[in-house]
Each structure stands twice: as C-alpha cells, then as structure tokens.
Amino acid sequence: MATSDGGYLRYFPYEEPYDHQREAMGTIYDALGEGRNVLFEGATGTGKTLASLAPALEHARETNKTVVITTNVHQQMRQFVRDARAITRQERIRAVVFKGKASMCHIDVGYEECQALRDATRDLADAEADLAGLERKQRELLEESQSGDGGAADARSAVMDELDEVRAEVEELRTERSTCDHYYRNLTADTDEFYGWLYDDVRTPEDVYGYADREGLCGYELLKEGMDGVDLVVCNYHHLLDPMIREQFFRWLGRDPEDVIAVFDEAHNVEDAARDHARRTLTETTLDQALDELEGSDDPRSEAGLNVLRTFRDALETAYEDAFSFGEREQVDEHWYDLAIDNDDARDELTLAFLQGYSGPGFREELERTFALAPELDQEYDEAYRNGETATRQECQTLQSVTFVEDWIDESAAEGQYPVVSVRRAEEGGQHEAGEVYGRAELYTCIPQSVTSGLFDDLHATVLMSATLRPFDVTEDVLGLADPETLAYGPQFPEERRRTYAVETPPLFASRRDDPEVQETVATALEDAVRFTPGNTLAFFPSYGEAERYHDRIAVQGTKYLDEPATDATDLRESFTADDDAVLCTSMWGTLGEGVSFDGDDARTVVVVGVPYPHLDDRMEAVQAAYDAAFGESGDGGSTSGSGDDGAGWRYAVEIPTIRKTRQALGRVVRSPEDFGARILLDKRYSEAAGVEMRDYAVRGTFPAEERAEMIDVDPDKLKFGLLNFYRDLDAYDGDPPTP
C-alpha cells in the first residue's frame, strides 16, 4: 500500500481510506507534530478511531512515544480491541489492553493487601536467589579447599556463616509472612513464553487472566511488566483522570507524560468523568473508625487528633440535623441524599459548626500533629499484616480523615468547589444501627478543568473524539484546552436513508406534563410512530417516571418494554432487539442513550420525547454558578435556553449537555451505509417556529447547522404520513403498509 507523506497509512488496515478519513489523518498527524490537542467530532460512520490511531501511532513511532486510547464505555473497549487487531495484521505493533487489579486478581485481595503480599513475595524470591547463589559459592569453595587452597577454606567458612543467616531469613519469610503464590511464579518461572504470546496478538484482560490462571501466574503483574515501552495501550478513563493511578500508570509505561499521546473516545463524557474523579468524600463511619484508632493509641499526639476529628464529626452531625426541613428526614433511604449547607455570604454550615465547636490550642496545630502521627499508624498496620499478625491489611482511617478535614477547611470556600453534606439510612450489617441516619461530607468540583487542564498540559498531545463534541468553544473552556485543532464531519451515510422530524407537540415543560391534553397529544404521536415503523421503535424520555407514564398509556399492537432505574438493561435490550414491531421506553439519562448500537432491524425509529433537561438540583445550580463566574455571564456565542436564562452557566452546564444527550440518542439508529431509519424529536421546542414563537425556550439553534438543515417540522397529526412515505419509498414494509 502506498503511504502518505506522514507514513501513517501503514497503520490503516483497509485498502483505502475515505476522503474524509484521509483528510482527518493528515490534520491530526500535523497537529501531533506540533504538540497540539485535537477536538474531533464525527458522526457514526466517520471512522474516528482509525483516523485518530493511524497518525498517532506513526508519530509515536517516529518520536519514541506511546499511544494510549481510552474510553468509559465497555462496548467501545471491545471495538478498540478489534481495531487494534486489524492494525497489527497490517503493521506489527505491541499492544496491551489494561484493566484494574480488582477485575484481574486471582486471590481477590484489596490494593493495600496486594502491595504487602507483593513486597513479601519479592523479598522471599530475592532471599531464595541469594541462598541459591551462596550455596553454589560454598560448593565451589569446597572443591577449591579440597584441592589444597587454604584461602578457599577460610572464604568458605565466611560464606557458611552468611548461609545460616540467609537460610534463617528464608525460613522466616516462608513461615511468618504472607506471600502470593501467583506472583511468586511470576518471579521464579520463565515468563518469556507469556510475553511472546501477549505480543503476538491483541489480548484482552480476560485472555490474560485465563492464561495466567492456567499457569498459576499473576496476570495483572505480568501486564504491568509488559506495558513498558509498548506502542499502544487500551484502557479506561480512570487510568488517566485519577491523579494517583495516572502517576503509577506512566511508571508502568516507562514513559514520562510528555512521551504519551492520549486518544479519548466518547470525549463528551470527559467533563463528568473528570468531575467524578476530582470529588472527595468523608463519611461519618470513617470518622468514627478514626476516633477508635486514636483512642486505642498511647501516642500523646493522639489527643490532638481526637479533639480535631471529634469536633469535625460533631459538626457534620449538627450540619445535617440542622439542614433537615420538616418531614425531610423521613424521606431518607439507603441512597445518599443531599442537604443544602452552602451560604452565599459566609462559610458553609459544616465549616461554621466546626469553627464554633472547636476549642483547643488551634486546629491547624492539632491537624499538623495528627498528620505526623497518621503515617506511623498506617505503617504499624502494614507491618502487622506483613508479619502475619492480622489476616487483612487494615487501612488507616485517621490518615484519610485528617487529609480530608484539612482539604475541607482550606478549599470548601474556593471558587469552583461546592461543599455538600449528604445523608443515608443504614442497612443491616453495617457499623451503624439499621435504620439510623448518618452523614457524609463531600467536596464537589464544579469545573473539571482543575483535573484535565494539567493532564493535557503534561501529555505530548491528545485527540478527543466523539459524535457530539460541538460547540467546540464550550469544550475548550470546560476542559481547559488552549488553541486545539478542531475537526467536524457530519453524517457519512446516504441522506435519503434517514429522516429527522421535529414534531410540534406541546412543549413538555415539567409544569405541563400532567396536563391530560398534552399527554393525549404526545401519546397519539408516539402510537403513530410505533405503528408506522416497520420494525422496532426506541423511545427516550426526560426521566424514568415519564417513560413509565407513556409505556402504560400508549396502545400498540407490538410488545411494550420498559427500562427501569437501577436495573441492568442488558437482558432487556436483548429481548427488545430479538422482537419485531416492539417499543422500548427508557430514560435519556439511563444506560441505553449512548455507547449502545441498535443496528439494522434492532431499531428503525428513535423518538426523543421532550427536551430531557437533567434534574436541576443544588449541585447543578452550583455548577451553573461556577461556569458563570469562570466564563462570563453571557458566555461566548450566546444562548437559547430552556429557562430564559442567558448565562454561560445554563448554556455550559445544562443546555449543551442536554442537546448532546439528545444527539447521542438520535445516533442509536442508522449505523451503516445500508441501514435506514427515522429520528423523531417530539416537542415544539425543537421546531424552527419555536425560534420565533417561544424564543427563550427554543433549542434547535444548539444543534450543528447540518443537523438543523435535515430537520423537518411536522404537525403531530401529520407525522404518520411522513413516516409512511419515507419507509414506503425505501420498500421497508413487509407486505402492505399501514393505513393512515
């Protein structure tokens, strides 16, 4: 195959890329050469993964770097493995698919226990190697002394003394310290065959686990060792977004951050993922355990820890008890329930309660004394486990607690941080009595660039790709990207094989959802969508409650499926896709709205009912306020918001993420050039007329221009004719089409 000037086509596993792929690869290759980040939006069928990986791998080869491709979607991880395998058949690369220890451990121990076992096992293997070397040495000296070498006899005597010491050390390690048999075989067996097998193809973590289990090895540690200097690593977001894991991850790669090129898939999710990784929490349970630790210590510094942590624990209880409104305590169940403690003109209620309740020489001084003590307590737990005195490696709750308390005092009032207190009701078997309400303090990071901007600055470059990254200026601001290269490619499949309808049903404002006339209009339009679809219909709603409402209300001939909250939708999806002329009702904020394909007959029509704004709770309000403060009251590019609010906070935090979710949902159908289907937006706010008649609530303008151009406005009673004509023109009906 001929290669381009950059040589990256050597990694393209098919005969010839499409023109848009060739263009994208050239742009990405040039950007990587300049060390620039890339924002790459491409609709389904763009071939984003290969268009990103090929130039990244070529640049990495030229500059001795490693490419890391990462996602938070399991299905996409499997696709990466398929793509990487296709690449290796075109151009040999060393690729590793990495997964966390929890899913790969053969003996199911925690991180701290694993570390202690690993260290003890390495000590044993090293001591046994020393013992074998000394035994070999004393045999050699014995032969020399028997040949009349007097010096050899003296030397052998010294070696024999050392042998006794090392034998005693080995015996102690074998009998008094816990070790890991799997890791021991890693250190003592020949693993060349494993690495030959590993690099011969792209192996999944499940493949590695199976191989290691058969051979009695530790697959996780083998993978860590095998990552050093590889060409490509496939992993989850947290390996890059979690600061502590990231530091270890780069060490395993044998790379400094500036020698890593990161490709983020489904990059519209990086904002929320970074926010999750930045959040810090401390429960009342952990505080109680820390107080128990300190009460059991005879170190005089424990008094300082007891005073400051007990005061914080009491303040936490005071804060949530005072925050309950009438009857609110009775609403608390086993899930965390947020309570408002933030103040506009003062410190939060937890901090105020702590400062008012504290008495002593000074909480800073006592925090410092506790900080000095906590690592020593942690070391004691570590030594107790290593010496076999405890069956598990106890974590130091004092260290966790004092670290959080200092962070809270220093950062809870910082811009972009939102202090939260949550409560839940204890269940059977926990530290708290069943039914008891207990609390948690949380530092919630509103602006994710506090996590991402430093990462992007440290890496050589990144490619962030998604079908829904636009508007790019918002992505740049939120993630802290400076002057990235931007690429956008719309739908690649034949336009005549898809239709997008904006149906002018009444806007489903929360205040109108119980209106019988609104419900009747929406239900009738849904019934028409199902009836005139030659196959399955996928319906997304603003919430699970609305999904259940219309699931129960609509009358259709096919099977009705309902996705419910907190349930695994895997079996539901399989049943639905195996059916014909069925409808599946789900929440836009569930697991089926993105990262899941409904190819071909799996679903022909997708309906988005209403504008699925998220629940606007106190956290969301805090994020809006933080974005307003960071990016200006009006925001770049203006806004057409669903609330009449023109601030950057609404646009960045609510409107754009909501439309991205909507666009993701619309992308569940029409997944290949041969596929076809209809996408329906069921709410007047999507229509062109809404921009004039209800300008403050119209959302059409938030869609990219090429997607707006395909939207066809229809009255609710005309939707069935539009669907009938579209599917009949494609000869999609099996037999006679339905009669309007």
Side-chain angles (χ1 to χ4, degrees):
M1 178 189 298
T3 62
S4 72
D5 291 342
Y8 42 76
L9 286 185
R10 76 180 74 224
Y11 296 100
F12 197 82
Y14 304 112
E15 278 302 312
E16 193 69 27
Y18 295 112
D19 289 343
H20 70 268
Q21 285 179 307
R22 187 184 294 274
E23 178 185 64
M25 285 189 283
T27 301
I28 292 170
Y29 179 79
D30 291 342
L32 295 178
E34 299 169 2
R36 295 179 64 194
N37 298 307
V38 179
L39 295 177
F40 181 10
E41 176 175 301
T44 301
T46 304
K48 296 184 291 294
T49 301
L50 292 173
S52 299
L53 277 181
L57 287 167
E58 174 64 8
H59 180 76
R61 184 191 65 80
E62 295 170 345
T63 57
N64 190 29
K65 291 177 171 49
T66 290
V67 178
V68 176
I69 186 166
T70 178
T71 183
N72 66 338
V73 178
H74 293 303
Q75 178 171 298
Q76 203 58 34
M77 187 81 76
R78 293 190 289 270
Q79 182 60 48
F80 289 166
V81 172
R82 290 192 289 269
D83 289 338
R85 284 174 175 163
I87 289 172
T88 61
R89 284 147 181 71
Q90 178 72 27
E91 182 77 13
R92 298 302 299 173
I93 61 172
R94 292 196 306 163
V96 169
V97 184
F98 193 73
K99 217 169 184 178
K101 188 197 78 65
S103 61
M104 296 196 68
C105 183
H106 300 267
I107 58 175
D108 194 24
V109 296
Y111 175 79
E112 297 287 352
E113 292 171 320
C114 178
Q115 186 175 39
L117 288 171
R118 187 172 63 246
D119 291 347
T121 306
R122 188 182 296 110
D123 289 346
L124 174 60
D126 289 345
E128 288 180 338
D130 291 344
L131 180 62
L134 288 169
E135 288 177 337
R136 185 170 56 252
K137 183 65 174 176
Q138 73 86 16
R139 288 194 298 268
E140 293 171 355
L141 291 170
L142 177 61
E143 291 178 3
E144 293 174 12
S145 64
Q146 289 173 341
S147 300
D149 187 341
D154 292 339
R156 181 174 179 272
S157 177
V159 169
M160 292 300 293
D161 290 340
E162 189 175 354
L163 259 175
D164 290 340
E165 294 177 7
V166 175
R167 283 196 184 102
E169 180 185 358
V170 169
E171 183 62 22
E172 179 184 355
L173 286 168
R174 287 174 174 170
T175 59
E176 297 186 17
R177 292 183 65 181
S178 299
T179 57
C180 174
D181 291 341
H182 289 80
Y183 185 52
Y184 180 81
R185 280 191 53 78
N186 284 19
L187 299 174
T188 57
D190 184 355
T191 58
D192 288 348
E193 184 177 337
F194 167 80
Y195 288 112
W197 169 84
L198 178 68
Y199 299 136
D200 187 53
D201 200 346
V202 181
R203 310 296 183 180
T204 67
E206 292 73 23
D207 294 335
V208 173
Y209 182 93
Y211 183 109
D213 201 50
R214 289 191 300 272
E215 301 297 324
L217 299 163
C218 175
Y220 176 69
E221 292 293 333
L222 288 171
L223 263 186
K224 281 168 52 179
E225 295 292 329
M227 288 169 61
D228 190 356
V230 296
D231 303 298
L232 175 66
V233 178
V234 180
C235 66
N236 192 279
Y237 274 1
H238 65 258
H239 291 104
L240 290 178
L241 293 180
D242 186 294
M244 294 184 64
I245 296 175
R246 179 167 72 237
E247 184 178 349
Q248 296 177 353
F249 185 67
F250 289 147
R251 188 168 64 250
W252 300 333
L253 287 177
R255 300 290 193 189
D256 292 326
E258 58 265 28
D259 293 321
V260 173
I261 301 165
V263 179
F264 283 85
D265 183 54
E266 303 293 349
H268 62 281
N269 289 324
V270 171
E271 176 182 356
D272 285 340
R275 196 177 279 125
D276 286 342
H277 282 92
R279 65 197 290 265
R280 289 158 287 173
T281 63
L282 179 67
T283 66
E284 196 173 323
T285 305
T286 300
L287 280 164
D288 287 340
Q289 291 170 344
L291 292 171
D292 289 342
E293 284 179 354
L294 292 168
E295 287 173 351
S297 172
D298 55 7
D299 191 294
R301 292 170 296 182
S302 63
E303 291 300 322
L306 284 166
N307 188 36
V308 73
L309 294 184
R310 186 178 290 120
T311 303
F312 193 84
R313 186 244 186 257
D314 292 344
L316 174 59
E317 185 174 5
T318 297
Y320 68 71
E321 290 291 354
D322 290 350
F324 280 128
S325 60
F326 179 77
E328 195 171 17
R329 185 187 184 93
E330 287 66 39
Q331 299 175 23
V332 177
D333 58 18
E334 70 276 10
H335 302 102
W336 287 112
Y337 179 89
D338 285 357
L339 295 166
I341 62 161
D342 197 25
N343 294 308
D344 292 333
D345 53 1
R347 293 296 296 264
D348 61 89
E349 296 299 329
L350 172 52
T351 302
L352 292 176
F354 172 75
L355 296 175
Q356 291 166 2
Y358 177 80
S359 63
F363 64 83
R364 294 286 184 189
E365 177 185 337
E366 294 199 313
L367 282 171
E368 186 175 338
R369 288 171 62 82
T370 311
F371 259 120
L373 171 62
E376 296 178 18
L377 294 175
D378 191 55
Q379 185 63 30
E380 289 177 13
Y381 298 147
D382 190 62
E383 290 175 358
Y385 179 72
R386 291 173 186 270
N387 295 333
E389 298 170 17
T390 57
T392 59
R393 204 293 192 180
Q394 184 176 339
E395 293 188 25
C396 183
Q397 309 298 354
T398 300
L399 184 58
Q400 291 190 38
S401 297
V402 71
T403 301
F404 180 88
V405 170
E406 183 175 67
D407 288 347
W408 182 279
I409 298 300
D410 290 342
E411 300 178 30
S412 60
E415 187 172 307
Q417 290 290 335
Y418 180 60
V420 185
V421 163
S422 307
V423 290
R424 71 177 176 187
R425 203 169 293 279
E427 299 181 273
E428 292 283 354
Q431 179 173 327
H432 297 275
E433 184 178 339
E436 178 185 359
V437 170
Y438 66 101
R440 177 185 71 180
E442 177 182 348
L443 283 171
Y444 180 70
T445 300
C446 296
I447 302 179
Q449 66 172 247
S450 62
V451 174
T452 56
S453 61
L455 170 63
F456 296 149
D457 287 344
D458 289 344
L459 295 169
H460 172 71
T462 60
V463 180
L464 294 101
M465 60 183 189
S466 168
T468 56
L469 271 184
R470 287 181 285 177
F472 288 135
D473 63 315
V474 174
T475 303
E476 293 173 34
D477 286 345
V478 169
L479 298 183
L481 293 164
D483 189 32
E485 183 71 54
T486 58
L487 294 166
Y489 296 94
Q492 301 300 308
F493 304 141
E495 185 175 347
E496 62 271 14
R497 300 183 72 80
R498 63 180 182 270
R499 286 290 184 276
T500 306
Y501 298 101
V503 185
E504 297 184 83
T505 55
L508 277 180
F509 297 122
S511 60
R512 298 192 62 186
R513 289 175 187 168
D514 292 330
D515 185 324
E517 291 185 11
V518 171
Q519 291 181 22
E520 179 62 25
T521 303
V522 171
T524 300
L526 270 172
E527 290 167 353
D528 287 344
V530 175
R531 183 177 172 222
F532 285 88
T533 294
N536 289 341
T537 301
L538 186 60
F540 290 97
F541 296 84
S543 68
Y544 283 107
E546 288 297 292
E548 183 177 11
R549 183 204 297 272
Y550 285 97
H551 168 271
D552 295 345
R553 182 179 181 110
I554 59 175
V556 296
Q557 289 186 340
T559 308
K560 296 188 295 183
Y561 293 88
L562 177 64
D563 185 17
E564 298 181 278
T567 58
D568 187 347
T570 303
D571 292 342
L572 175 70
R573 180 189 179 280
E574 290 180 359
S575 297
F576 169 68
T577 56
D579 210 333
D580 296 313
D581 298 322
V583 58
L584 192 162
C585 299
T586 184
S587 168
M588 180 70 77
W589 301 96
T591 59
L592 297 176
E594 60 179 274
V596 180
S597 294
F598 290 85
D599 303 315
D601 292 334
D602 289 351
R604 284 295 176 205
T605 295
V606 59
V607 186
V608 175
V609 181
V611 180
Y613 290 120
H615 175 58
L616 301 182
D617 56 14
D618 290 337
R619 289 178 190 244
M620 185 60 67
E621 301 246 346
V623 172
Q624 289 186 62
Y627 282 162
D628 271 333
F631 307 121
E633 286 297 322
S634 62
D636 293 337
S639 171
T640 53
S641 74
S643 71
D645 183 344
D646 291 329
W650 173 268
R651 181 170 182 255
Y652 282 39
V654 181
E655 181 177 313
I656 288 170
T658 297
I659 297 306
R660 283 177 177 156
K661 291 289 289 185
T662 301
R663 294 174 64 206
Q664 284 285 329
L666 296 181
R668 293 315 93 203
V669 300
V670 191
R671 308 288 297 181
S672 70
E674 297 76 28
D675 204 355
F676 60 90
R679 293 92 61 86
I680 300 171
L681 297 163
L682 209 63
D683 191 300
K684 185 172 183 177
R685 286 172 287 181
Y686 292 110
S687 69
E688 187 173 14
V692 177
E693 299 172 12
M694 46 190 308
R695 183 176 179 277
D696 285 344
Y697 303 99
V699 297
R700 190 170 183 145
T702 309
F703 289 80
E706 71 274 12
E707 294 179 19
R708 296 197 302 269
E710 290 192 18
M711 294 181 185
I712 301 170
D713 291 356
V714 296
D715 290 332
D717 57 356
K718 298 294 195 302
L719 174 63
K720 55 189 172 186
F721 297 104
L723 290 172
L724 174 63
N725 292 333
F726 169 65
Y727 283 122
R728 187 168 53 192
D729 288 347
L730 292 171
D731 197 23
Y733 293 110
D734 185 11
D736 293 333
T739 303

Short mmCIF file of all heavy atoms in Angstrom, two decimals, residues 95-118:
data_model
loop_
_atom_site.label_atom_id
_atom_site.label_comp_id
_atom_site.label_asym_id
_atom_site.label_seq_id
_atom_site.Cartn_x
_atom_site.Cartn_y
_atom_site.Cartn_z
N ALA A 95 0.73 -4.14 21.51
CA ALA A 95 -0.45 -3.51 22.11
C ALA A 95 -0.86 -4.27 23.36
O ALA A 95 -0.79 -5.51 23.40
CB ALA A 95 -1.60 -3.47 21.12
N VAL A 96 -1.30 -3.54 24.38
CA VAL A 96 -1.75 -4.12 25.63
C VAL A 96 -3.10 -3.52 25.98
O VAL A 96 -3.30 -2.30 25.86
CB VAL A 96 -0.74 -3.84 26.77
CG1 VAL A 96 -1.34 -4.21 28.12
CG2 VAL A 96 0.55 -4.61 26.54
N VAL A 97 -4.03 -4.37 26.39
CA VAL A 97 -5.33 -3.91 26.88
C VAL A 97 -5.30 -4.04 28.40
O VAL A 97 -5.20 -5.15 28.93
CB VAL A 97 -6.48 -4.75 26.29
CG1 VAL A 97 -7.82 -4.19 26.73
CG2 VAL A 97 -6.38 -4.78 24.77
N PHE A 98 -5.36 -2.91 29.09
CA PHE A 98 -5.11 -2.91 30.53
C PHE A 98 -6.41 -2.70 31.30
O PHE A 98 -7.25 -1.89 30.93
CB PHE A 98 -4.12 -1.81 30.91
CG PHE A 98 -3.60 -1.95 32.31
CD1 PHE A 98 -2.70 -2.95 32.62
CD2 PHE A 98 -4.02 -1.10 33.32
CE1 PHE A 98 -2.21 -3.10 33.92
CE2 PHE A 98 -3.55 -1.23 34.60
CZ PHE A 98 -2.64 -2.23 34.91
N LYS A 99 -6.52 -3.46 32.40
CA LYS A 99 -7.68 -3.36 33.28
C LYS A 99 -7.18 -3.31 34.72
O LYS A 99 -6.07 -3.76 35.02
CB LYS A 99 -8.59 -4.58 33.07
CG LYS A 99 -10.07 -4.27 33.16
CD LYS A 99 -10.88 -5.46 32.67
CE LYS A 99 -12.37 -5.14 32.64
NZ LYS A 99 -13.16 -6.26 32.14
N GLY A 100 -8.00 -2.79 35.62
CA GLY A 100 -7.59 -2.63 37.00
C GLY A 100 -7.43 -3.95 37.74
O GLY A 100 -7.92 -5.00 37.32
N LYS A 101 -6.73 -3.88 38.87
CA LYS A 101 -6.41 -5.06 39.66
C LYS A 101 -7.66 -5.80 40.14
O LYS A 101 -7.69 -7.03 40.19
CB LYS A 101 -5.56 -4.66 40.88
CG LYS A 101 -5.01 -5.84 41.65
CD LYS A 101 -4.54 -5.46 43.02
CE LYS A 101 -5.71 -5.32 43.95
NZ LYS A 101 -6.42 -6.60 44.17
N ALA A 102 -8.71 -5.03 40.49
CA ALA A 102 -9.89 -5.65 41.07
C ALA A 102 -10.50 -6.72 40.16
O ALA A 102 -11.02 -7.72 40.64
CB ALA A 102 -10.94 -4.58 41.39
N SER A 103 -10.40 -6.51 38.85
CA SER A 103 -11.00 -7.46 37.91
C SER A 103 -10.03 -8.54 37.47
O SER A 103 -10.42 -9.45 36.73
CB SER A 103 -11.53 -6.71 36.68
OG SER A 103 -10.47 -6.04 36.03
N MET A 104 -8.77 -8.49 37.91
CA MET A 104 -7.78 -9.45 37.43
C MET A 104 -7.10 -10.24 38.54
O MET A 104 -6.28 -11.11 38.26
CB MET A 104 -6.71 -8.72 36.61
CG MET A 104 -7.24 -8.09 35.33
SD MET A 104 -5.92 -7.66 34.18
CE MET A 104 -5.35 -9.28 33.70
N CYS A 105 -7.42 -9.93 39.80
CA CYS A 105 -6.74 -10.60 40.91
C CYS A 105 -7.25 -12.03 41.05
O CYS A 105 -8.46 -12.27 41.06
CB CYS A 105 -6.95 -9.83 42.21
SG CYS A 105 -6.08 -10.55 43.62
N HIS A 106 -6.35 -12.99 41.19
CA HIS A 106 -6.71 -14.41 41.29
C HIS A 106 -7.08 -14.80 42.71
O HIS A 106 -7.67 -15.87 42.93
CB HIS A 106 -5.55 -15.28 40.80
CG HIS A 106 -5.16 -15.02 39.39
ND1 HIS A 106 -5.67 -15.73 38.32
CD2 HIS A 106 -4.33 -14.10 38.84
CE1 HIS A 106 -5.15 -15.28 37.19
NE2 HIS A 106 -4.33 -14.28 37.48
N ILE A 107 -6.71 -13.97 43.70
CA ILE A 107 -7.00 -14.33 45.10
C ILE A 107 -7.90 -13.31 45.77
O ILE A 107 -8.21 -13.43 46.95
CB ILE A 107 -5.70 -14.50 45.91
CG1 ILE A 107 -4.86 -13.22 45.87
CG2 ILE A 107 -4.89 -15.68 45.36
CD1 ILE A 107 -3.62 -13.28 46.74
N ASP A 108 -8.33 -12.28 45.03
CA ASP A 108 -9.34 -11.33 45.49
C ASP A 108 -8.96 -10.64 46.80
O ASP A 108 -9.63 -10.79 47.82
CB ASP A 108 -10.69 -12.03 45.64
CG ASP A 108 -11.84 -11.03 45.78
OD1 ASP A 108 -11.68 -9.88 45.33
OD2 ASP A 108 -12.88 -11.40 46.36
N VAL A 109 -7.87 -9.87 46.75
CA VAL A 109 -7.48 -9.06 47.91
C VAL A 109 -7.47 -7.60 47.49
O VAL A 109 -7.39 -7.27 46.30
CB VAL A 109 -6.10 -9.46 48.46
CG1 VAL A 109 -6.12 -10.88 48.99
CG2 VAL A 109 -5.00 -9.29 47.40
N GLY A 110 -7.54 -6.70 48.48
CA GLY A 110 -7.53 -5.28 48.22
C GLY A 110 -6.15 -4.77 47.83
O GLY A 110 -5.15 -5.50 47.89
N TYR A 111 -6.11 -3.49 47.45
CA TYR A 111 -4.87 -2.92 46.96
C TYR A 111 -3.76 -2.96 48.01
O TYR A 111 -2.63 -3.34 47.72
CB TYR A 111 -5.11 -1.48 46.49
CG TYR A 111 -3.83 -0.78 46.08
CD1 TYR A 111 -3.25 -1.03 44.83
CD2 TYR A 111 -3.18 0.09 46.94
CE1 TYR A 111 -2.07 -0.42 44.45
CE2 TYR A 111 -1.99 0.72 46.57
CZ TYR A 111 -1.45 0.46 45.33
OH TYR A 111 -0.28 1.06 44.96
N GLU A 112 -4.07 -2.52 49.23
CA GLU A 112 -3.05 -2.48 50.28
C GLU A 112 -2.53 -3.88 50.59
O GLU A 112 -1.32 -4.09 50.78
CB GLU A 112 -3.62 -1.83 51.54
CG GLU A 112 -4.03 -0.37 51.38
CD GLU A 112 -2.83 0.56 51.26
OE1 GLU A 112 -1.69 0.08 51.46
OE2 GLU A 112 -3.02 1.75 50.97
N GLU A 113 -3.45 -4.86 50.65
CA GLU A 113 -3.03 -6.24 50.91
C GLU A 113 -2.17 -6.77 49.77
O GLU A 113 -1.16 -7.43 49.99
CB GLU A 113 -4.26 -7.13 51.11
CG GLU A 113 -5.02 -6.82 52.38
CD GLU A 113 -6.34 -7.57 52.43
OE1 GLU A 113 -7.01 -7.67 51.40
OE2 GLU A 113 -6.68 -8.04 53.52
N CYS A 114 -2.58 -6.43 48.55
CA CYS A 114 -1.81 -6.88 47.38
C CYS A 114 -0.39 -6.32 47.43
O CYS A 114 0.58 -7.03 47.16
CB CYS A 114 -2.52 -6.44 46.10
SG CYS A 114 -1.65 -6.86 44.59
N GLN A 115 -0.28 -5.05 47.79
CA GLN A 115 1.04 -4.44 47.86
C GLN A 115 1.92 -5.13 48.90
O GLN A 115 3.10 -5.40 48.66
CB GLN A 115 0.91 -2.95 48.19
CG GLN A 115 2.21 -2.18 48.13
CD GLN A 115 1.99 -0.70 48.35
OE1 GLN A 115 1.17 -0.29 49.17
NE2 GLN A 115 2.72 0.12 47.62
N ALA A 116 1.32 -5.42 50.07
CA ALA A 116 2.09 -6.09 51.11
C ALA A 116 2.49 -7.50 50.67
O ALA A 116 3.63 -7.94 50.89
CB ALA A 116 1.27 -6.14 52.40
N LEU A 117 1.56 -8.24 50.06
CA LEU A 117 1.87 -9.58 49.57
C LEU A 117 2.95 -9.54 48.50
O LEU A 117 3.86 -10.38 48.47
CB LEU A 117 0.61 -10.23 49.01
CG LEU A 117 -0.46 -10.67 50.01
CD1 LEU A 117 -1.72 -11.08 49.27
CD2 LEU A 117 0.04 -11.81 50.87
N ARG A 118 2.85 -8.55 47.62
CA ARG A 118 3.83 -8.44 46.53
C ARG A 118 5.23 -8.18 47.09
O ARG A 118 6.21 -8.79 46.67
CB ARG A 118 3.40 -7.31 45.59
CG ARG A 118 4.25 -7.19 44.34
CD ARG A 118 3.68 -6.19 43.36
NE ARG A 118 3.64 -4.85 43.90
CZ ARG A 118 2.53 -4.18 44.17
NH1 ARG A 118 1.35 -4.72 43.94
NH2 ARG A 118 2.58 -2.95 44.64
#
